[in-house]
Amino acid sequence: MRYILRFLWNATRGHHLAPWRSPYLRWRIETYCGVKMDQVGFLEFWGFLLRERKELVRFLKWTAKMDRYARPKPKNTF
């Protein structure tokens, strides 16, 4: 869960309270489903989240897995 929250916090940088205004998330929606960035607003953003929630959860779990590979926990050397 921590990795999911970290990704969402980083992806909405500068737009934490209004994630539909995040250029990164708007760009990701455009590349995923073809809706132009300029057309992504409040309703389109939340409709996309509801419609694609299973795929988004799968993606967020994958990002958490990749983050654990990229930043492994240090081993105790005592």
Side-chain angles (χ1 to χ4, degrees), residues 4 12 29 33 37 46 50 55 58:
I4 292 172
T12 60
I29 291 171
C33 64
M37 279 179 61
W46 290 108
L50 289 174
E55 288 298 316
R58 188 174 68 85

Side-chain angles (χ1 to χ4, degrees), residues 1-13 16 24-25 28 56 59-60 62-64 67:
M1 185 66 166
R2 182 183 63 165
Y3 296 103
I4 292 172
L5 293 175
R6 180 188 295 173
F7 173 82
L8 292 174
W9 185 260
N10 290 335
T12 60
R13 185 168 292 142
H16 299 299
Y24 177 73
L25 290 181
R28 295 299 298 172
L56 291 171
F59 169 73
L60 291 173
W62 176 80
T63 59
D67 195 45

